Amino acid sequence: MRPVTYLLADDVEGAVRTVTADPDTHFLAGGTTEVDLLRQNVLTPHRLVDINRLPLTGIEALPDGGVRIGALARMSEVAEDRGVRERFPMISRALELGASAQLRHMASMGGNMMQKVRCGYYRDGESPCNKRLPGSGCAALTGVSRTHAVLGTSEHCIATHPSDVAVPLVALDARIHTRIHTRTGDGERDHAIGDFFLEPGDTPDREHPLAHGELITAIEVPGLPIARRSLYLKVRDRESYEFALVSVAAAVDMVDGVIGDVRLALGGVGTRPWRAIRAEEFLIGAPAIPENFEQAARIELSDARTTAMNAFKPELARRTLVRALETLTRDGSQR
Ligand SMILES: Cc1cc2nc3c(=O)[nH]c(=O)nc-3n(C[C@H](O)[C@H](O)[C@H](O)COP(=O)(O)OP(=O)(O)OC[C@H]3O[C@@H](n4cnc5c(N)ncnc54)[C@H](O)[C@@H]3O)c2cc1C
């Protein structure tokens, strides 16, 4: 057994400085990822800085109709928040469909953005895995890969990004606010979520642009009227307590049967939460008819690269995307 020192942080600056100063010190929020992986020797911190006392809770409505979600707000609180339910149904639904009730009470929104992949070869702590041990290889390429990614993969890693709520957050252009300590002092940064989750490329161990010790303080979702009419569809092997095989976050604004604006993102198929930009571009200005939904989905998935075990995913993603669009546009004209 490895000893781990535990520190309870009282202030944001102190927590950030302590973690920044030592690569073997990690933040601890709900612990639902960190403690699991520590027990399995996948993460090996010498010290944990518990951030649960920091003033990073709260869900605040913004004047533009958006919402600012504290990094320590729990998944269940955000899912149940009235403003989030009304203005961003896709966010509250993605949260409700994640993990289990107990986990949602523990797990924080900041921790959710930082959760690790569910690839069995990463998590067993022993198999070749370029994400866990750069240069060691990727056992999933020739191994069990039924749940692995088909978009944004590289020859070094095909692990799927696991977060549900990150999918609608990507569709809505959320921003991630952080606190950082550098040689020149303490400061704040603000990351567009579209740049936050990195594709594996040649450096699968690098999953986001944060410096070690940079603390997520809040997630801000802009006020987008289109999000009021949105949904999150999740397809998985069993009805609860399971990660997505495919998921879709979708919002549509339609006038007289023509799509004026659309937001689409896919989960379960990409190495990052996948904004379906090409499908969006095809659909804007197009009649809201099944043939166009099919074509948009085909365009988005045309670059999918599959293994023998996950060859079903592009077709499942295509059908789920079409179903989401049909559901949102079913009553013909919205305004
Ligand atoms: C059995 C199981 C099923 C699950 N199913 C789902 C699912 O269906 N859908 C889904 O989306 N998720 C699922 N999850 C993942 C779960 O949502 C995450 O484990 C959780 O959100 C992580 O939050 P946490 O507060 O527990 O983070 P922690 O475990 O405390 O931290 C996770 C990582 O983030 C870092 N960290 C934490 N907070 C911050 C911060 N503010 N700034 C910077 N770094 C930080 C920590 O150092 C650590 O490395 C599941 C987890 C389990 C165990």
Side-chain angles (χ1 to χ4, degrees):
M1 193 186 278
R2 279 179 312 104
V4 179
T5 309
Y6 170 87
L7 279 179
L8 186 54
D10 290 322
D11 67 294
V12 169
E13 281 72 25
V16 169
R17 283 180 195 188
T18 305
V19 177
T20 304
D22 175 12
D24 292 323
T25 298
H26 292 183
F27 294 119
L28 178 71
T32 62
T33 287
E34 183 72 31
V35 176
D36 266 13
L37 294 179
L38 192 149
R39 285 196 182 126
Q40 286 167 242
N41 277 322
V42 173
L43 299 178
T44 53
H46 297 319
R47 186 165 49 170
L48 291 174
V49 174
D50 185 334
I51 58 174
N52 285 291
R53 272 199 195 158
L54 302 182
L56 304 175
T57 52
I59 304 162
E60 188 194 334
L62 299 173
D64 75 342
V67 66
R68 183 179 170 95
I69 301 168
L72 286 172
R74 305 293 150 169
M75 287 169 68
S76 53
E77 287 173 67
V78 182
E80 286 158 18
D81 182 82
R82 224 169 86 196
V84 173
R85 291 185 93 87
E86 278 173 20
R87 280 177 277 141
F88 305 102
M90 51 159 56
I91 294 179
S92 81
R93 192 67 184 143
L95 287 164
E96 282 169 353
L97 294 177
S100 65
Q102 292 92 333
L103 282 160
R104 292 193 295 271
H105 288 322
M106 286 295 290
S108 66
M109 291 296 287
N112 192 298
M113 298 300 99
M114 300 295 283
Q115 66 176 289
K116 302 291 183 181
V117 298
R118 309 303 293 189
C119 175
Y121 301 110
Y122 170 81
R123 290 194 164 238
D124 71 15
E126 289 174 1
S127 300
C129 172
N130 291 319
K131 198 178 268 302
R132 177 169 32 73
L133 187 63
S136 61
C138 172
L141 288 173
T142 51
V144 177
S145 57
R146 183 170 175 278
T147 60
H148 285 66
V150 297
L151 294 169
T153 56
S154 80
E155 56 186 319
H156 304 295
C157 181
I158 58 170
T160 309
H161 195 278
S163 171
D164 283 296
V165 71
V167 180
L169 292 176
V170 161
L172 297 174
D173 288 322
R175 300 193 75 85
I176 310 260
H177 294 271
T178 63
R179 230 12 202 271
I180 187 168
H181 176 71
T182 63
R183 278 193 211 117
T184 52
D186 297 319
E188 290 178 0
R189 291 215 295 178
D190 168 23
H191 303 266
I193 201 163
D195 301 327
F196 189 79
F197 302 105
L198 305 181
E199 287 183 19
D202 294 335
T203 52
D205 54 313
R206 193 166 151 67
E207 299 181 311
H208 48 71
L210 301 192
H212 178 73
E214 187 170 351
L215 179 74
I216 299 176
T217 52
I219 300 165
E220 216 167 282
V221 189
L224 293 171
I226 189 176
R228 283 184 178 267
R229 190 183 175 87
S230 65
L231 57 70
Y232 183 74
L233 272 183
K234 179 172 178 178
V235 180
R236 46 190 163 167
D237 280 330
R238 56 180 179 202
E239 256 310 290
S240 74
Y241 203 31
E242 187 55 278
F243 289 87
L245 283 173
V246 166
S247 68
V248 173
V252 178
D253 191 14
M254 202 167 67
V255 185
D256 297 333
V258 172
I259 295 177
D261 196 7
V262 60
R263 297 292 180 115
L264 296 170
L266 303 171
V269 289
T271 52
R272 58 181 164 85
W274 194 263
R275 179 79 177 268
I277 291 278
R278 291 198 286 171
E280 288 181 2
E281 283 171 358
F282 176 82
L283 287 169
I284 290 172
I289 53 173
E291 293 75 11
N292 284 338
F293 302 158
E294 294 270 353
Q295 181 63 6
R298 262 196 296 274
I299 290 170
E300 192 60 51
L301 289 149
S302 59
D303 290 341
R305 282 199 303 187
T306 60
T307 64
M309 294 181 103
N310 69 11
F312 67 94
K313 275 200 173 186
E315 176 61 12
L316 186 60
R318 191 188 60 72
R319 291 184 190 201
T320 312
L321 193 52
V322 170
R323 194 169 114 208
L325 290 165
E326 284 182 346
T327 306
L328 280 172
T329 58
R330 190 161 290 147
D331 62 359
S333 169
Q334 291 172 38
R335 334 189 230 128

